[in-house]
Amino acid sequence: MRIDVLTIFPEMFPAVLDASMVGLARERDLLDVHVHNLRDWAHDRHRTTDDYPYGGGPGMVMKPEPLFEAVDQIRSETPVSGRVIFFTPAGRVLDQDLAEELAREDRLILVCGRYEGFDERALSLADLELSVGDYVLTGGEVPAMIVIDVVARLIPGVLGHELSAVDESFTSGLLEYPQYTRPPVYRGMEVPEVLLSGDHARIARWRREQSIRKTARLRPDLVERAELTDDERRAADQETSRCRDHAEEGPPDE
Ligand code: JB8
């Protein structure tokens, strides 16, 4: 996959691009990332990319011309034009389903804004307006790094053992079961006996149950959408209502 990034802060990217699995994906030529400085498409000697908002108001807005010219040029550099993604707090919220969809693309163009946002006309360049969560950041660079990270680990051949990408949280719609490694007892805390039993069927059942309980407790919103058997659904509903009952008890009396 090729990813192009447009930003006025290209220096923010190398640490994320060089480290860990993203770095490995690039070393293995499974991922090719080009970071471009939007100021290269500015029209004046100060390399201006922002301007005052018509109608007044606080802050500045990203000018349309450098964005249009940059996206046009970057798109024309390869035969597949690629999906153009603008980061904005008003965009569709990223989740694992959308991440899997993006990971199947051959090319992505990620456009990072700053200031109070984009001139509305520039947004017509976007195939997708994307948010990484309901909070406000100072710009689209961190969201772009999140998309690069989330997509990199889904590219076949990046993870090594292909199973782990699908086995983990959110792919079954459930949170991950608790994990342990050596030592078997640490500061008095024991590894659950079942994990030392060598009984793989029992371990699988225990993990599934733990996942369901944990998800019901911490993220009842995810349980509603998860793929569960009828028995599992009943167990999850029981756990959710048990936790709700506790929450409604209020603080214990003295
Ligand atoms: C200026 O919080 B965000 C986000 C905030 C931004 C820009 C892009 C994304 C551009 N502020 O998703």
Side-chain angles (χ1 to χ4, degrees), residues 188-217:
M189 297 176 282
E190 290 177 15
V191 174
E193 174 275 325
V194 56
L195 297 178
L196 311 175
S197 70
D199 182 342
H200 296 292
R202 210 179 132 220
I203 290 170
R205 262 182 287 142
W206 181 84
R207 284 178 167 169
R208 178 84 185 162
E209 189 193 324
Q210 291 292 317
S211 280
I212 292 166
R213 281 181 189 281
K214 186 176 188 174
T215 312
R217 234 183 306 127

Side-chain angles (χ1 to χ4, degrees), residues 1 7 26 91 133 141 149 200 211 213 240:
M1 175 188 286
T7 171
R26 291 173 61 232
E141 284 76 11
D149 190 280
H200 296 292
S211 280
R213 281 181 189 281
T240 308

Side-chain angles (χ1 to χ4, degrees), residues 60-63 67 87-89 113-119:
M60 303 292 273
V61 174
M62 303 288 293
K63 290 170 67 58
L67 290 163
F87 295 100
T88 124
R114 282 272 146 180
Y115 320 112
E116 298 309 305
F118 301 98
D119 180 291

Side-chain angles (χ1 to χ4, degrees), residues 60-218:
M60 303 292 273
V61 174
M62 303 288 293
K63 290 170 67 58
E65 307 94 316
L67 290 163
F68 270 92
E69 289 163 32
V71 169
D72 282 352
Q73 186 181 335
I74 290 167
R75 260 181 167 155
S76 72
E77 279 169 6
T78 58
V80 268
S81 90
R83 200 141 147 198
V84 177
I85 301 176
F86 275 58
F87 295 100
T88 124
R92 173 170 166 192
V93 179
L94 180 64
D95 62 16
Q96 195 65 25
D97 290 340
L98 181 54
E100 283 170 24
E101 192 183 315
L102 296 178
R104 289 194 288 269
E105 300 276 351
D106 283 326
R107 185 154 190 222
L108 299 174
I109 298 172
L110 309 181
V111 183
C112 309
R114 282 272 146 180
Y115 320 112
E116 298 309 305
F118 301 98
D119 180 291
E120 190 67 21
R121 293 166 293 187
L123 291 173
S124 69
L125 289 164
D127 296 305
L128 176 65
E129 291 176 40
L130 193 62
S131 162
V132 295
D134 291 332
Y135 39 78
V136 182
L137 298 162
T138 56
E141 284 76 11
V142 169
M145 293 179 213
I146 289 172
V147 166
I148 293 168
D149 190 280
V150 87
V151 156
R153 67 184 286 288
L154 294 172
I155 299 172
V158 172
L159 265 183
H161 53 126
E162 299 311 296
L163 266 184
S164 26
V166 274
D167 192 39
E168 279 169 45
S169 302
F170 290 109
T171 332
S172 65
L174 295 172
L175 300 181
E176 189 60 294
Y177 47 79
Q179 301 258 42
Y180 295 84
T181 184
R182 289 182 289 185
V185 185
Y186 183 68
R187 297 197 177 191
M189 297 176 282
E190 290 177 15
V191 174
E193 174 275 325
V194 56
L195 297 178
L196 311 175
S197 70
D199 182 342
H200 296 292
R202 210 179 132 220
I203 290 170
R205 262 182 287 142
W206 181 84
R207 284 178 167 169
R208 178 84 185 162
E209 189 193 324
Q210 291 292 317
S211 280
I212 292 166
R213 281 181 189 281
K214 186 176 188 174
T215 312
R217 234 183 306 127
L218 302 177

